[in-house]
């Protein structure tokens, strides 16, 4: 989820949850669609209503809740599922060997594995091996302003004495580095009335440069006006 182009996740959430239902053999017992403006702040009534309606459309009109095992007989999906189960079971065994989940957290076992996976994801996104539509790929510089409700987070007082102490797993959003670049571009637009510009000189026919030009435009567009 990204704070740039927040209207885009409306379609993405529907597609993602459709996929979650079709992967019910993976254990999705309950699916919750988050409001598309959550990354910007407290969602307003429209965003919450859109999230609820997305679930209702998938449930009542697409009848996805009535699908029992759509992947049955698909060798490719069943192979991936088997590989996922084997990898997950190996991790569970490692946690149990360390003394359980709390012991693993106190030993930073889980934190190290999460950090390693997170580092790989961040590196792939930074190198554009993986893309974030709307953030690192095809950003929309003309998006409309989205309203969110003004609310301050409530800090709860500690309850009792902590029985277990371990390093927390800080929440992250993979789109954050691109959002910071976008924020700098927005500030320049606000101060000077125009975003930074890049001139892209294409040589040859469209068939020669279209693929490279599209890649370059998507690469530069989060922080620049365009090419």
């Amino acid at each position: 989820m990204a704070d740039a182009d927040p209207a885009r996740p409306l379609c993405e959430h529907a597609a993602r949850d459709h996929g979650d239902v079709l992967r019910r053999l993976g254990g999705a017992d309950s699916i919750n669609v988050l409001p598309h403006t959550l990354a910007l702040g407290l969602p307003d009534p429209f965003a919450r209503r859109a999230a609820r309606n997305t679930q209702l459309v998938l449930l009542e009109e697409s009848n996805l809740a009535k699908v029992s095992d759509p992947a049955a007989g698909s060798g490719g999906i069943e192979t991936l599922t088997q590989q996922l189960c084997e990898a997950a079971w190996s991790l569970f065994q490692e946690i149990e060997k360390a003394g359980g989940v709390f012991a693993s957290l106190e030993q930073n076992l889980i934190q190290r594995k999460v950090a390693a996976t997170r580092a790989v994801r961040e590196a792939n996104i930074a190198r554009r091996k993986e893309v974030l539509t709307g953030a690192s790929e095809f950003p929309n510089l003309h998006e409309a302003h989205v309203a969110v409700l003004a609310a301050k987070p409530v800090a709860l007082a500690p309850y009792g004495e902590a029985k277990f102490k371990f390093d927390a797993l800080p929440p992250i959003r993979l789109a954050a580095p691109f959002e910071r670049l976008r924020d700098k571009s927005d500030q320049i637009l606000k101060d000077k009335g125009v975003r930074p510009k890049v001139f892209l000189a294409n040589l040859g026919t469209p068939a020669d440069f279209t693929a490279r030009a599209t890649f370059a435009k998507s690469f530069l567009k989060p922080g620049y006006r365009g090419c």
Side-chain angles (χ1 to χ4, degrees):
M1 183 173 289
D3 65 9
D5 195 10
R8 170 186 46 80
L10 281 170
C11 295
E12 286 188 356
H13 289 176
R16 180 205 64 197
D17 296 316
H18 181 276
D20 288 342
V21 172
L22 296 182
R23 290 191 296 269
R24 288 182 63 188
L25 65 162
D29 298 318
S30 176
I31 296 173
N32 181 37
V33 179
L34 297 175
H36 63 286
T37 60
L38 188 60
L40 293 170
L42 185 63
D44 63 1
F46 169 77
R48 297 197 299 270
R49 179 172 178 267
R52 290 194 302 270
N53 285 348
T54 299
Q55 297 179 146
L56 293 174
V57 168
L58 294 174
L59 177 66
E60 301 294 345
E61 297 189 22
S62 299
N63 293 318
L64 293 186
K66 299 179 180 179
V67 180
S68 58
D69 189 1
S74 173
I77 294 179
E78 291 185 348
T79 298
L80 291 175
T81 302
Q82 182 65 28
Q83 293 173 352
L84 176 63
C85 292
E86 292 174 355
W89 182 242
S90 176
L91 292 174
F92 277 122
Q93 289 177 315
E94 188 173 354
I95 291 173
E96 289 297 317
K97 185 177 180 181
V101 63
F102 287 114
S104 298
L105 287 169
E106 290 178 323
Q107 299 169 26
N108 283 331
L109 173 64
I110 296 177
Q111 292 92 322
R112 288 196 302 270
K113 291 186 176 296
V114 171
T117 301
R118 176 180 295 178
V120 172
R121 290 289 311 277
E122 290 175 337
N124 287 340
I125 291 172
R127 296 185 176 94
R128 298 174 63 81
K129 291 182 178 180
E130 298 180 26
V131 299
L132 301 174
T133 304
S136 67
E137 190 84 359
F138 307 116
N140 178 17
L141 298 183
H142 306 289
E143 64 190 46
H145 174 72
V146 175
V148 294
L149 301 179
K152 294 182 179 180
V154 177
L156 299 178
Y159 179 78
E161 183 180 357
K163 295 183 179 180
F164 303 96
K165 296 182 179 180
F166 48 83
D167 295 336
L169 291 168
I172 67 165
R173 288 186 298 106
L174 295 172
F178 298 94
E179 293 167 357
R180 290 193 293 269
L181 181 62
R182 177 69 172 272
D183 291 340
K184 292 181 180 179
S185 177
D186 289 342
Q187 187 61 44
I188 293 175
L189 174 63
K190 181 179 178 180
D191 295 339
K192 300 183 178 181
V194 64
R195 295 185 187 275
K197 297 180 181 179
V198 172
F199 175 73
L200 184 62
N202 298 314
L203 303 178
T205 65
D208 297 325
F209 62 73
T210 296
R212 299 177 184 85
T214 301
F215 176 89
K217 289 176 67 175
S218 291
F219 177 77
L220 296 169
K221 207 170 182 180
Y224 294 87
R225 180 181 177 182
C227 306

